[in-house]
Amino acid sequence: MNPPTQLFRSTILVSSIITIGLTGLAGCDVGPGVDYSSLGLVPITGEVTLDGEPLSGAVVFFESPDLTQAYATTDEEGHYKIKFNSEVDGVKPGTKIVRISTTASTGEGGEEEDEDGDDDDTPARPSKRSKKDTSNPGERVPSEYNKKSELTVEITSGDSVVDFHLKSDGSTVTPLKS
């Protein structure tokens, strides 16, 4: 190949790469300018208790059929506020499987425990459960409310509060909406 032809091909290759890169960047609208209004997010707060006591430090997931999740972490009084992502609160309307765990992580950082329930050298919290979950010994919530969740809730635009009063025996509970 002669030098002018090689230079021409190299120029076209570099131009193509730049064009593809710029085109890709133009489609990536991230940051504070993102408009979530078209999603119809519903702000949801609530309370989680286990055997009548506030369940602090629990992660609450609202899982959609497409496996996307909105999430929250309960405070000392068992209260939570669902987040669509790290930037905006709320959850899309529809039927959700609810998973509640004391050993899960939202992935946002700042949490003491990782997904395995380990937080370095600190021993796992004692379990109040009568049904021992041997797959995750630090978990205080029965698997019927997390891994094998039977909890579901239908989120509509009129909802704002959804409470979960869990039982350590894993028996069926109904979310309380108001």
Side-chain angles (χ1 to χ4, degrees):
M1 184 177 333
N2 63 35
T5 304
Q6 187 175 7
L7 179 61
F8 178 73
R9 287 185 178 173
S10 296
T11 302
I12 288 180
L13 177 63
V14 170
S15 296
S16 297
I17 291 171
I18 290 171
T19 302
I20 290 169
L22 292 175
T23 302
L25 288 176
C28 296
D29 185 15
V30 294
V34 177
D35 181 12
Y36 293 100
S37 62
S38 65
L39 297 177
L41 297 177
V42 178
I44 298 290
T45 61
E47 176 186 49
V48 180
T49 62
L50 181 62
D51 296 328
E53 297 295 321
L55 188 60
S56 66
V59 177
V60 181
F61 293 103
F62 281 30
E63 185 178 294
S64 298
D66 66 0
L67 301 182
T68 57
Q69 296 178 328
Y71 57 90
T73 302
T74 59
D75 64 16
E76 291 297 316
E77 289 83 36
H79 296 117
Y80 72 91
K81 182 176 186 177
I82 286 289
K83 297 173 79 173
F84 178 72
N85 62 24
S86 62
E87 296 177 12
V88 66
D89 295 335
V91 61
K92 294 194 310 188
T95 302
K96 310 295 177 197
I97 295 174
V98 179
R99 299 183 192 281
I100 301 172
S101 172
T102 57
T103 60
S105 169
T106 63
E108 284 196 338
E111 296 175 30
E112 295 177 14
E113 297 181 358
D114 63 18
E115 290 184 25
D116 295 327
D118 300 329
D119 58 356
D120 302 324
D121 298 324
T122 306
R125 293 180 232 176
S127 175
K128 289 176 61 176
R129 296 184 47 200
S130 58
K131 289 166 87 175
K132 183 74 172 159
D133 183 351
T134 57
S135 65
N136 198 346
E139 180 64 73
R140 296 187 297 158
V141 178
S143 61
E144 290 83 2
Y145 307 130
N146 52 55
K147 290 178 186 175
K148 299 175 185 175
S149 185
E150 299 169 5
L151 280 174
T152 60
V153 65
E154 179 72 26
I155 300 297
T156 64
S157 60
D159 296 330
S160 61
V161 177
V162 182
D163 295 333
F164 299 96
H165 301 295
L166 312 179
K167 299 176 183 169
S168 60
D169 66 2
S171 59
T172 303
V173 298
T174 302
L176 302 173
K177 293 174 30 172
S178 58

